[in-house]
Amino acid sequence: MTFSENFDVIVIGGGHAGTEAALAAARMGQKTLLLSHNIETLGQMSCNPSIGGIGKGHLVKEVDALGGAMAAAADEAGIQFRILNSSKGPAVRATRAQADRVLYRQAIRHRLESQPNLWLFQQGVDDLTLEGDRVTGVVTQLGIKFSARAVVLTAGTFLAGLAHVGSANFHAGRAGDPPSISLALRLREMKLPVGRLKTGTPPRIDGRSIDYSVMTEQLSDSPTPVFSFTGSAAQHPRQLPCWITHTNLRTHDIIRDGLDRSPLFSGVIEGVGPRYCPSIEDKVVRFSAKEAHQIFLEPEGLTTHEVYPNGISTSLPFDIQVELVHSIRGMEKAHITRPGYAIEYDYFDPRGLKSSLETKTIEGLFFAGQINGTTGYEEAAAQGLLAGINAALKTQNRDAWCPRRDEAYLGVLVDDLITRGVTEPYRMFTSRAEYRLQLREDNADLRLTETGRNLGVVDDARWTAFDTKREAIAREQDRLKTVWLSAKNSRPSAGAEEVLRVLGKPIERDYSLHELLRRPDVSYASLMTLPGAGEIVSDPLVADQVEIQAKYHGYIERQKDEVARNAHYEETRLPQDLDYATVLGLSAEAQQKLNQHKPETAGQAARISGITPAAISLLLVHVKRGFSAPKKRKTHEFNGMSR
Amino acid sequence: MGNNDIIAAIATPPGRGGIGIVRISGKNLQPVALKIIGCIPEPRYASLSRFLDESGRAIDQGIAIYFPSPHSYTGEDVLELQGHSGPAVTNLVLSCCLAAGARLAQPGEFTLRAFLNNKLDLAQAEGVADIIDASTGEAARCALRSLQGEFSTAIRTAVQALTNLRMRIEATLDFPEEEIDFSGQRDIYARLGAIQMQLEHILASARQGSLLREGVRVVLVGQPNVGKSSLMNQLAGEEAAIVTEVPGTTRDAIRQTIEIEGVPLYLVDTAGLRETDDAVEKIGIARTRSAIEKADLALLLIDDSLGVTPGDQSVLDSLPAGLPVIRVHNKIDLLNRLPHIKDCEGQPEIYLSAKTGAGVTLLRRKLLEMAGWQPHSMGEGIFMARHRHLQALTEAREYLKDAIGLAERGIQLELLAEELRLAQWALSSITGEFSADDLLGEIFSRFCIGK
């Protein structure tokens, strides 16, 4: 049957990508349908119960700045909050929360159910309907047809998922859920390039069987950090500690003895696992000199005893899992509640995507999350949000929004995926962002909320709060520029000893307070103690911004120059039907790579590995030549060419 | 990389010609023009100008012509500096342009800009791709040749040390929860210093340009009748050997200066080296010895009919280790041999006749090449390739200096990381791209990371 309602946007999958996509499209006023094989697991945290971390926290803040749900849900569900790298500079500080799985799911479900324009429906999807190269809707397992102008696919690890425990393996989306096999087959038929990746989880433990007295306790930071720009610590539930223990030589012996039965080492697993999140058997083999590996015991929630021992992800047979867990200090009597497993799944080569996350081959079809070869809730949520926004924009006949690398981690994430593809599950790190100093957690709202407002994903309450904060920052910055500290100590009337106390040395000329704040060893708070410096701003977040922006000023300006120098390439669009074999002078390797990638801009082309500056020059010449001979080519393809 | 930044290059062919032209192009050239010639010349008028270096000292005098956008070859602002010819002076002018804020143009970049700014007609435009293709191909080959031997090894060592340090710092930033001490603060400081020293060392020993400016010091080894003076006269050619007697030496013409294509060559004759009890002569010998210590290369002149004599051999053995030696087999006319050059275990051997002049061109070219200069080569030549490499190294050294400044003040690691990222980016023109993913790969292969 055909469902009676027509939708603008259909989102397949109710994980972190799917929920953000559906919420974003609905916030933009588009009639949106979220299809999930199980409404009970919407917003499920299928791996470790934590949100954020270095690079990942940055993404969560960006999603939040654009009105997304993840940070707010983490504030309602977080049972331990920490700021990582707090002793280092603001650009690399990141928030992380341990979340209660049940509370987190509830927080997401609540948002989905109360979101206007959003419909939920429980059915697995078997097929997509197409008209030519354009998607028109989906068909569910029961044969129900839904029509829509844009479809966002967020199938996670469910596409042809295969789980391994020792030599046993079974088809699964994740432990306990069925995989989407027919959809996977259908997508493979559509000539979308498919690869195989692997990820894993550790065995879960009953916390009552753990001896915490021999472990190191790790508490929340104080004051408790808050994730969302609109959140508060008052939303947090009761806080719980995490615990740290270690593997030992005996653990490693047990693992080595079981390697012959490990699917990872016997060659059964074909998919590539992440280098930064190796299984415990991988760690023991590759770093055999290391005598102990750290394990974080993360509580799964307030209403369960289950514990997630982060650090011993494994696909070894169950009997070895039991033995290795029992060899660990404090876990001698631990009861495993769920075996660890590795899971292999299909992903689509993200080089087949545009920077809007729309597929290049099927119009209106967007991919987000793990199917693009990424790992992590945060990476998934960020892509989901972007895909949801762009699916909505598509149905509104508006141009796609594609954040640049210097604007957001979201831009870095998508650009890395589409220009470089993946060879292992992609995870965000701050070192991936060349403009790291300007892509901070603390200014995610300043970078993105206005854009979000224009796109239609930022509601009035967030917008008003943001606008007030932004104005307060600007006001204080302007004020500091007009207050001068005189070398003769007249205005403001600071005595020489006061100047020495705050600045550490006398000043040789007049300085505005704003200039002085740029000095690395002068804080805003101390500067404000100078007589005549004026009133300190009351909002600590505003004070932070004023100080951070002053401290990073020179670096940010230099990065902006770098961005401006490359802007021309980012703005030069390349025709999608260009056959690179016809570009004079390009090496065969460059022709092949460019034909495979079909980059959207010269900037993207330049980031493809192996494409040289000379090749880019040749491309510019080729495109320009087409421009001077409009008869041969359609001119509209060259819109965006500057000069 | 950018499309509007200011580029500079030598526009006249390499070698000695009538004039040497350096061309600068970009959006808004005025600040650069002010630094180099102290004024903005009247558009399209030839004005006599002094070309100034960074400190405002005049390094040459010539004609400056300013073509404001859009009426110029590239369509951007263009400044042409026509100075005296000769590789040394023209390169000095170019260096001043670079110091004033221009960057070295990529091969074919002037033509590319002209094309992109609609300054070439369709017929000319047809050739643009070919020009870029050919000139980058040539540049790539020259770059490879520049990157050989110790120069290459030293760069690779420095780059590895830089990569290693970046790996440690980035790991500290991205993986704070690992129980690994990736880098102690003091350790970072020491490593930065070491890399800085390596870069300084490479730059100092490369002596690019300085050889052209200051000349090449050549030690001449050979027996009295082997034909040294004939060879010197032949080398200097039609430009007439400028024979200078260095005052203060006790023996005649121990040191002589000649010039090849504008590059000065200082010849030190080791014939004066012998055992003696004469106090005055001893002083002369000591001076010759110290001149040899500073030599850039040695020329061993051999009578092809006699071969290397024990006397030659003992002088050769006394030369500083690692000094390149060219073996010149003279008097091939007596043996009816043809002039040629061959490579004998990395040391060139040249067969020539100083009397007839046959084969002298080979020697001349080899000498200039070893001085870092290739006259009449296609494209920009190995000299410019080396120039690019040294520019990248200099740029990297500047970032490293800033990093050391930060480390001294105990400043945040992420700022240090930024300087190091830029240093590595500067070096990528030598080493090829080094992506963030490559860096992560280094981290993961070195340290056991991840929960």
Side-chain angles (χ1 to χ4, degrees), chain A residues 47 198-202 274 277 279 308 313-315 340-343:
Chain A
C47 192
K198 177 225 120 179
T199 186
T201 66
C277 191
S279 61
Y308 191 96
S313 147
T314 183
S315 55
Y341 63 95
I343 183 158

Side-chain angles (χ1 to χ4, degrees), chain B residues 51 68 70 85 137 150 165 174 200 215 282 290 300-301 323 329 348 368 377 406 417 439:
Chain B
F51 306 154
S85 172
E150 280 178 42
L165 179 57
D174 265 339
E200 293 289 0
K282 270 188 171 171
S290 97
L300 171 63
L301 202 57
L323 184 69
H329 296 258
L368 288 176
S377 65
L406 288 169
L439 189 65

Side-chain angles (χ1 to χ4, degrees), chain A residues 246-263:
Chain A
H246 293 87
T247 62
N248 51 51
L249 292 176
R250 200 162 77 78
T251 318
H252 300 179
D253 285 341
I254 293 166
I255 291 166
R256 267 186 221 107
D257 288 345
L259 284 181
D260 57 335
R261 288 194 288 146
S262 153

Side-chain angles (χ1 to χ4, degrees), chain A residues 263-281:
Chain A
L264 207 57
F265 287 87
S266 61
V268 174
I269 291 180
E270 306 161 16
V272 183
R275 290 168 298 179
Y276 46 82
C277 191
S279 61
I280 186 66
E281 49 267 37

Side-chain angles (χ1 to χ4, degrees), chain A residues 129-370:
Chain A
T129 56
L130 302 181
E131 244 177 56
D133 287 338
R134 200 167 56 81
V135 72
T136 55
V138 304
V139 184
T140 68
Q141 280 165 343
L142 284 177
I144 308 169
K145 289 181 180 163
F146 291 91
S147 75
R149 292 160 66 200
V151 172
V152 182
L153 180 63
T154 68
T157 60
F158 281 59
L159 290 176
L162 184 63
H164 300 263
V165 182
S167 52
N169 58 55
F170 50 94
H171 293 278
R174 61 187 163 219
D177 287 306
S180 311
I181 292 176
S182 47
L183 185 59
L185 290 173
R186 177 76 176 115
L187 290 164
R188 285 197 179 215
E189 278 167 23
M190 288 182 183
K191 288 185 287 183
L192 294 161
V194 181
R196 202 98 169 122
L197 291 174
K198 177 225 120 179
T199 186
T201 66
R204 315 282 173 86
I205 313 286
D206 184 334
R208 291 170 301 179
S209 62
I210 297 175
D211 178 9
Y212 291 115
S213 67
V214 297
M215 300 184 182
T216 311
E217 188 178 28
Q218 186 191 58
L219 296 168
S220 274
D221 285 351
S222 178
T224 323
V226 178
F227 233 130
S228 171
F229 286 106
T230 57
S232 78
Q235 294 171 295
H236 297 343
R238 183 162 61 88
Q239 300 293 290
L240 290 181
C242 290
W243 300 88
I244 299 169
T245 183
H246 293 87
T247 62
N248 51 51
L249 292 176
R250 200 162 77 78
T251 318
H252 300 179
D253 285 341
I254 293 166
I255 291 166
R256 267 186 221 107
D257 288 345
L259 284 181
D260 57 335
R261 288 194 288 146
S262 153
L264 207 57
F265 287 87
S266 61
V268 174
I269 291 180
E270 306 161 16
V272 183
R275 290 168 298 179
Y276 46 82
C277 191
S279 61
I280 186 66
E281 49 267 37
D282 237 349
K283 291 190 218 176
V284 168
V285 170
R286 287 182 48 222
F287 297 93
S288 53
K290 205 165 171 183
E291 294 182 355
H293 294 279
Q294 196 173 220
I295 303 169
F296 284 82
L297 296 178
E298 304 176 0
E300 297 247 338
L302 296 169
T303 52
T304 173
H305 294 292
E306 247 186 331
V307 167
Y308 191 96
N310 210 342
I312 50 169
S313 147
T314 183
S315 55
L316 286 165
F318 183 66
D319 57 311
I320 296 180
Q321 293 189 17
V322 173
E323 217 185 324
L324 87 85
V325 164
H326 286 173
S327 72
I328 296 166
R329 191 164 151 82
M331 304 228 269
E332 292 82 357
K333 294 182 181 139
H335 168 62
I336 295 179
T337 52
R338 309 181 205 198
Y341 63 95
I343 183 158
E344 287 184 280
Y345 55 96
D346 278 3
Y347 78 99
F348 293 96
D349 185 342
R351 290 173 294 188
L353 299 174
K354 300 179 185 178
S355 47
S356 60
L357 295 181
E358 187 178 8
T359 58
K360 284 174 183 167
T361 42
I362 299 172
E363 193 187 347
L365 179 62
F366 295 76
F367 284 178
Q370 249 171 322

Side-chain angles (χ1 to χ4, degrees), chain A residues 598-613:
Chain A
K598 298 279 183 193
E600 297 164 276
T601 63
Q604 282 178 20
R607 285 188 292 276
I608 295 171
S609 106
I611 301 299
T612 60

Side-chain angles (χ1 to χ4, degrees), chain B residues 211-394:
Chain B
L211 283 185
L212 293 182
R213 264 195 305 284
E214 293 157 18
V216 190
R217 280 156 291 215
V218 182
V219 179
L220 207 56
V221 184
Q223 297 304 304
N225 283 320
V226 81
K228 280 178 299 208
S229 7
S230 335
L231 183 64
M232 277 182 220
N233 286 331
Q234 283 286 359
L235 274 177
E238 289 160 18
E239 289 168 39
I242 309 155
V243 180
T244 326
E245 258 185 52
V246 179
T249 50
T250 52
R251 296 181 64 86
D252 282 343
I254 286 181
R255 297 203 265 176
Q256 293 183 317
T257 303
I258 62 170
E259 205 173 273
I260 304 177
E261 307 223 10
V263 179
L265 239 64
Y266 304 108
L267 298 172
V268 181
D269 191 344
T270 57
L273 291 179
R274 52 173 191 173
E275 294 300 318
T276 177
D277 293 330
D278 183 316
V280 182
E281 203 173 324
K282 270 188 171 171
I283 296 172
I285 289 172
R287 284 202 178 126
T288 306
R289 284 256 175 239
S290 97
I292 291 172
E293 289 299 316
K294 294 180 201 145
D296 300 304
L297 63 94
L299 212 57
L300 171 63
L301 202 57
I302 303 162
D303 184 333
D304 207 25
S305 55
L306 296 177
V308 182
T309 68
D312 291 340
Q313 192 57 54
S314 73
V315 174
L316 269 182
D317 292 344
S318 71
L319 294 177
L323 184 69
V325 178
I326 304 178
R327 289 168 182 251
V328 177
H329 296 258
N330 192 16
K331 306 189 182 177
I332 55 169
D333 51 318
L334 299 179
L335 298 162
N336 275 331
R337 284 199 188 193
L338 287 176
H340 64 284
I341 182 166
K342 66 179 190 186
D343 191 69
C344 183
E345 287 165 13
Q347 296 211 331
E349 294 199 21
I350 295 170
Y351 291 79
L352 53 72
S353 164
K355 190 172 161 194
T356 65
V360 172
T361 323
L362 291 176
L363 176 59
R364 198 182 282 179
R365 204 176 292 158
K366 196 74 206 171
L367 282 169
L368 288 176
E369 185 190 313
M370 292 179 89
W373 186 247
Q374 271 183 306
H376 317 302
S377 65
M378 283 294 296
E380 56 174 25
I382 194 171
F383 176 84
M384 210 36 88
R386 181 60 67 98
H387 201 115
R388 280 183 205 291
H389 289 156
L390 295 181
Q391 207 197 3
L393 288 165
T394 311

